[in-house]
Amino acid sequence: MTGVSEILVLILLISGILILPRMLKPQPTETPGKKIARLSRKKRTAIVASILYPIAATLIIKPWEQAWLLFAVIGLVPVILGWAVYWIVTAPKK
């Protein structure tokens, strides 16, 4: 019985070495530099503005002094709504 199990283990190893790499081919990877290069000037400006606007709102409103709800409404909601509208408008059309 030992001989049969050894043969089955060898068959399993050989099939794992020869067959599995062909079944599980790695997907081609994109270089990260190309993805950044595709961003247009408008998108880059929108990203920077969506970072700087809440920072400016934080410095002006000072949410750590009990005004966190005002900061959420004035500082965060416009950025979230802006990106939501952009996401809806740029959706692929079927």
Side-chain angles (χ1 to χ4, degrees), residues 16-28:
I17 292 171
L18 297 177
I19 296 173
L20 282 178
R22 292 181 184 167
M23 291 174 60
L24 304 172
K25 288 187 179 181
Q27 298 294 328

Side-chain angles (χ1 to χ4, degrees), residues 7-65:
I7 292 172
L8 290 175
V9 169
L10 284 174
I11 291 173
L12 180 67
L13 285 173
I14 291 171
S15 66
I17 292 171
L18 297 177
I19 296 173
L20 282 178
R22 292 181 184 167
M23 291 174 60
L24 304 172
K25 288 187 179 181
Q27 298 294 328
T29 58
E30 260 186 58
T31 57
K34 288 183 180 180
K35 208 168 216 181
I36 293 173
R38 288 188 201 162
L39 292 176
S40 67
R41 186 176 295 185
K42 289 180 183 180
K43 285 183 186 177
R44 292 179 187 195
T45 304
I47 291 170
V48 171
S50 65
I51 293 170
L52 291 178
Y53 181 76
I55 291 173
T58 302
L59 294 174
I60 293 170
I61 297 172
K62 299 178 183 169
W64 56 88
E65 295 178 354

